[in-house]
Amino acid sequence: MSRIKSGANGSLAPHRFPEDFVWGVAAAAPQIEGAAAADGKGESIWDRFALTPGKVYQGHTLAVACDHYHRYREDFALMRELGVKHYRLSVAWPRIFPDGDGALNQAGLDYYRRLLGSLEANGITPWVTLFHWDLPQCLEERGGWRTRIVVDAFARYADTVVRALPAVKHWITLNEISCFTEKAYGGGNKAPGLNEGAAVVNQTCHHALLCHGHGVRAVREHGAPDARVGLTDGPSVVIPVTETATDIAAAKQVFSEENIRVLDPLYRGSYAESYLRTAGAAQPQVAKDDFKLICQPTDFIGLNIYNGTFVRAGAEGRPEKLDLPANYPRADSPWLALTPQALYWGPRMVAELYGVKSIYITENGCGYDEEPVVDGQCLDLHRREYLRSYLTELRRAIHDGVPVKGYLLWSFLDNFEWQDGYRRRFGLCHVDFETQQRTPKLSAQWYASVMRENRIL
Ligand code: GCO
């Protein structure tokens, strides 16, 4: 296990990031594209979920979203103006295989080819996620993530997409396994919104891990020789209340317990004993060679980090999670307590526990409800302060030797925020959902200078 030392990368001048640091923005197909039935696209579980009464805020749907499907050229021109050089996007599986594993929809592939061409023309490097939660509804009807049908279907989908897009050099297999398994099948608020028992939830997670493995395999077999691939995880982040050895050890123990189900298979090629013990009879069914697929070496890990939970060493050193005081500062997303130290401790713990050598923050940002445009301006000073405080902690991690190589901010545009619909705005650019007008917010101008100057201003 590697140890992080304070100031290990001491050559970094205050507020500066390393020379080759990757700065960019992130988004996902179902949240921005709209055109939900255009050019042969099939229905996704999120299209269906949004039409189910009571599931999404005020019945908002994905039908139009930011209309990025039709407006990507203008959007990329705006990115270019702001100096964006890296962009994380996702491919919508139901555009490629409308019913999951049947006939290929050539128009879907052609769309992403055009889109990548436009990115290239604007000098923007794509980071392409193969799966960001929009499972084809037909597959859900055949069992979805509960069955191995989805694993075979994903393998074919990944092979097809990777072969068809040889210009892509950065691939992300899946986005946040826990979110689309546990919070989707285990009683949460993500599509398809089911409430299955632990055995089913553990199985959905196992199938997702297998899909990650197929994603890696597909890139190695069909991708460009210099293509790189990794998973984006959404770890549950833990912050020691004080930076003393005992609180750090307590926090690390909690971090390990809460993230072991995904990270152990990925990096150690098996489920941890402690995980299997806790799961008991609800352990996932594992077939021969599953772990060979799951733990193939990757080139990096992507981490989506927004917040963390404070932990201290309680009685007899037992870890104790702290509840936040009622008036602790939060963004408007109720789950988003402002805990910038999460960007220090999340990457550090992944690096220390699993020896990971290359980490990208593939999402970080904040959601607010009221962000009006007045006289052509949106003065989101709250977002700028959020970003400044989080980036300060990220830089501290790099300064201490944590191998964080890049940061992709969530998100470029205000967009469809899942169960919260369009009410909750995460964008650097304001979107008027009536007119589709984009207005870069104050935070966009600020982030443009951070990217340009490679330092926190
Ligand atoms: C996630 C998703 C994003 C969200 C973002 C804000 O992490 O939940 O990857 O699609 O929109 O995180 O909640």
Side-chain angles (χ1 to χ4, degrees):
M1 181 163 47
S2 57
R3 286 257 165 237
I4 305 298
K5 282 194 208 68
S6 180
N9 193 355
S11 56
L12 214 54
H15 308 297
R16 286 223 152 264
F17 282 74
E19 279 317 313
D20 49 358
F21 195 73
V22 166
W23 292 104
V25 294
Q31 297 179 272
I32 60 170
E33 284 181 356
D39 301 331
K41 175 178 168 290
E43 190 186 17
S44 81
I45 55 171
W46 271 96
D47 293 325
R48 176 69 63 94
F49 191 64
L51 294 174
T52 313
K55 297 299 186 193
V56 172
Y57 176 73
Q58 287 189 355
H60 292 174
T61 73
L62 294 75
V64 180
C66 306
D67 196 31
H68 178 74
Y69 188 80
H70 299 112
R71 294 168 193 261
Y72 64 86
R73 291 183 194 81
E74 294 92 311
D75 287 338
F76 297 157
L78 182 54
M79 278 187 195
R80 182 190 191 146
E81 255 174 58
L82 291 167
V84 172
K85 299 260 178 357
H86 296 267
Y87 172 47
R88 175 178 177 224
L89 64 135
S90 78
V91 171
W93 183 348
R95 284 201 197 283
I96 311 300
F97 290 105
D99 63 7
D101 59 0
L104 171 73
N105 178 36
Q106 188 58 42
L109 279 182
D110 293 346
Y111 167 68
Y112 289 106
R113 286 207 186 101
R114 290 196 299 279
L115 184 138
L116 290 174
S118 175
L119 277 174
E120 194 186 352
N122 284 288
I124 301 168
T125 301
W127 294 63
V128 179
T129 308
L130 286 166
F131 181 72
H132 201 124
W133 304 359
D134 45 357
L135 188 74
Q137 175 66 26
C138 283
L139 285 180
E140 178 54 33
E141 279 157 23
R142 290 158 63 199
W145 287 101
R146 301 175 208 74
T147 69
R148 281 182 95 107
I149 293 174
V150 88
V151 179
D152 298 336
F154 181 86
R156 178 163 170 238
Y157 161 69
D159 286 344
T160 307
V161 172
V162 172
R163 263 201 212 109
L165 307 177
V168 176
K169 302 293 170 62
H170 306 275
W171 291 99
I172 292 167
T173 54
L174 309 173
N175 182 69
E176 295 194 27
I177 291 180
S178 303
C179 243
F180 71 82
T181 57
E182 207 169 312
K183 293 190 184 142
Y185 290 86
N189 49 15
K190 302 283 190 266
L194 301 171
N195 200 352
E196 305 270 17
V200 171
V201 172
N202 288 335
Q203 199 62 43
T204 59
C205 179
H206 186 68
H207 293 151
L209 286 165
L210 287 168
C211 288
H212 159 75
H214 274 300
V216 177
R217 180 198 52 71
V219 173
R220 302 296 185 224
E221 283 177 12
H222 311 297
D226 54 347
R228 303 162 71 226
V229 60
L231 173 79
T232 274
D233 191 25
S236 151
V237 174
V238 179
I239 304 165
V241 176
T242 67
E243 298 197 355
T244 53
T246 45
D247 280 354
I248 293 173
K252 218 176 205 175
Q253 187 183 327
V254 175
F255 182 91
S256 168
E257 283 163 13
E258 297 198 346
N259 297 295
I260 212 162
R261 178 169 60 178
V262 169
L263 294 179
D264 259 45
L266 211 66
Y267 289 110
R268 304 206 170 125
S270 61
Y271 284 119
E273 278 303 315
S274 59
Y275 164 69
L276 293 175
R277 230 184 359 261
T278 314
Q283 289 181 15
Q285 309 282 320
V286 177
K288 187 170 164 284
D289 294 340
D290 279 1
F291 284 117
K292 270 196 200 148
L293 193 61
I294 294 170
C295 92
Q296 295 162 88
T298 53
D299 303 302
F300 61 86
I301 188 163
L303 300 178
N304 292 353
I305 296 181
Y306 291 84
N307 61 345
T309 304
F310 290 105
V311 165
R312 67 177 174 191
E316 289 157 27
R318 266 199 305 278
E320 183 190 348
K321 283 191 188 183
L322 296 196
D323 290 331
L324 292 173
N327 51 2
Y328 189 92
R330 289 171 188 275
D332 287 341
S333 307
W335 50 269
L336 215 178
L338 306 187
T339 44
Q341 306 92 315
L343 265 196
Y344 178 85
W345 287 102
R348 174 169 162 172
M349 288 195 190
V350 171
E352 285 194 352
L353 288 166
Y354 291 97
V356 179
K357 298 281 183 287
S358 182
I359 297 174
Y360 291 85
I361 302 303
T362 39
E363 285 182 28
N364 170 248
C366 53
Y368 287 96
D369 296 357
E370 295 301 324
E371 298 200 317
V373 176
V374 179
D375 295 334
Q377 297 187 330
C378 178
L379 299 179
D380 60 339
L381 287 158
H382 44 351
R383 179 166 292 98
R384 186 175 70 167
E385 283 323 295
Y386 173 99
L387 294 172
R388 196 201 300 275
S389 61
Y390 275 69
L391 286 175
T392 301
E393 288 291 327
L394 186 65
R395 187 201 159 276
R396 178 163 79 98
I398 297 168
H399 182 72
D400 286 356
V402 182
V404 180
K405 310 292 183 191
Y407 173 90
L408 303 169
L409 189 152
W410 187 272
S411 186
F412 184 59
L413 301 173
D414 292 337
N415 60 48
F416 178 81
E417 177 55 14
W418 309 113
Q419 68 280 356
D420 296 324
Y422 298 99
R423 139 166 103 157
R424 197 139 291 144
R425 297 173 177 277
F426 273 80
L428 287 175
C429 296
H430 181 276
V431 176
D432 178 329
F433 292 104
E434 297 294 313
T435 63
Q436 292 296 341
Q437 169 84 34
R438 277 68 161 142
T439 308
K441 304 176 191 175
L442 174 101
S443 60
Q445 306 299 352
W446 178 79
Y447 188 56
S449 19
V450 170
M451 291 188 288
R452 191 176 55 244
E453 297 196 20
N454 199 28
R455 66 187 176 100
I456 305 166
L457 296 150

